[in-house]
Amino acid sequence: MVLITLVIAILGFLSPSSRGSLSTAMLMLYIVFGFSAGYNAAYNYHSFGGTSLRRIITLTTLCVPGICCTLLLLVNLCLIVANSSAAAPIGTLLGVIALWFVISIPLTVAGGYFGYKRKTADPPVRVNQIPRQIPEQPWYLRTIPSALMGGILSFGAIFIELYFIMNSIWFHKVYYVFGFLFIVFIILILTTAEVTVLLTYFHLCAEDYRWQWRSIYTAGASSFYVFLYGVLFYFSRLRLASYASLIIYFGWMITACLLFFILTGAIGFVASNMFVRRIYGAIKID
């Protein structure tokens, strides 16, 4: 979805002077891509032995949109209480929620059904039914240290461009360089995939086979550094005194970091999954 949005912006279909066109296009693409989300979620869930189609469809349908809508509704409620003019009208919020329930949820359910019915790929090697005991891991391969090490490398690929994006959003400047942003996004994908694959390889060498969630945490940890950068940007560049401005800034930052975590986590998981299947598929058993 992000890649298609950037391609549309590069081709000139989204005018930078129209500040609402980019967010509207992203919202519409997110709704349309509900089918792809349900399809891929159900297929991967089934590939790893999941049996509850209802559970995965419910989580895919409600988890991310539900958290984002809840955060934005809380932000809007606080703005209404503070009598701020930045509060969104109730009709707009109801319209977005209606699009979610009327279009996005049915598309996600349909995609989940077809994804679950698709034949899954066989494991490259025979899987043991009894889990092996995992030996004591070095401190740098534990969940939090490895995630923080992997996240800072992905963040390093985007922090310069992040400065210009933050300036454009909070200082009401027009952002034109979508071509350069596209290149930075490709670099982010490659960096996140390579770092996650490398740490997955280290975990497997240490006889820790629990790479699935580790790959998501490792790749998604860059969102933690994005949030820290947002805090630094607020106190060094903005210093907004009003209560409403504080709510708007950190409400949107938390929402953006959540979505960035999901984006980078998905990249890391897909890259690690392909890597694990490739290396174990190369094993020749006589």
Side-chain angles (χ1 to χ4, degrees), residues 146-147 149-158 184-200 214-223 226 260-273 275:
S146 62
M149 286 188 295
I152 196 170
L153 294 174
S154 299
F155 174 74
I158 63 166
V184 172
F185 181 67
I186 298 299
I187 294 173
L188 172 65
I189 293 176
L190 297 176
T191 305
T192 303
E194 290 175 359
V195 170
T196 311
V197 165
L198 180 63
L199 287 174
T200 299
R214 290 281 182 88
S215 63
I216 296 175
Y217 298 150
T218 301
S222 54
S223 62
V226 172
F260 190 75
F261 174 85
I262 295 170
L263 170 66
T264 51
I267 294 171
F269 173 79
V270 171
S272 296
N273 190 26
F275 169 74

Side-chain angles (χ1 to χ4, degrees), residues 211-243:
W211 61 268
Q212 292 89 349
W213 283 107
R214 290 281 182 88
S215 63
I216 296 175
Y217 298 150
T218 301
S222 54
S223 62
F224 172 71
Y225 294 101
V226 172
F227 183 77
L228 291 182
Y229 183 85
V231 174
L232 177 64
F233 186 87
Y234 178 83
F235 287 104
S236 62
R237 297 278 296 172
L238 295 178
R239 298 178 183 175
L240 303 175
S242 66
Y243 175 67

Side-chain angles (χ1 to χ4, degrees), residues 21-102:
S21 60
L22 184 62
S23 57
T24 302
M26 292 182 67
L27 179 62
M28 293 297 105
L29 285 173
Y30 181 84
I31 292 173
V32 172
F33 271 76
F35 182 88
S36 175
Y39 183 89
N40 288 286
Y43 175 74
N44 285 295
Y45 175 74
H46 196 198
S47 298
F48 286 98
T51 57
S52 178
L53 176 61
R54 182 180 301 177
R55 176 185 299 176
I56 189 60
I57 288 180
T58 302
L59 290 175
T60 307
T61 304
L62 301 179
C63 189
V64 176
I67 294 175
C68 291
C69 284
T70 301
L71 287 173
L72 297 181
L73 287 174
L74 288 175
V75 170
N76 200 64
L77 180 61
C78 293
L79 293 177
I80 291 174
V81 172
N83 294 320
S84 173
S85 60
I90 300 298
T92 302
L93 296 176
L94 292 178
V96 173
I97 294 174
L99 288 174
W100 175 28
F101 278 93
V102 175

Side-chain angles (χ1 to χ4, degrees), residues 139-152:
W139 66 268
Y140 55 86
L141 288 182
R142 294 173 184 173
T143 303
I144 295 178
S146 62
L148 292 177
M149 286 188 295
I152 196 170

Side-chain angles (χ1 to χ4, degrees), residues 83-131:
N83 294 320
S84 173
S85 60
I90 300 298
T92 302
L93 296 176
L94 292 178
V96 173
I97 294 174
L99 288 174
W100 175 28
F101 278 93
V102 175
I103 301 177
S104 180
I105 289 181
L107 286 176
T108 306
V109 172
Y113 174 80
F114 287 108
Y116 191 82
K117 295 299 182 183
R118 177 186 168 186
K119 187 181 184 304
T120 59
D122 295 327
V125 293
R126 186 174 58 85
V127 180
N128 236 342
Q129 297 300 320
I130 302 176

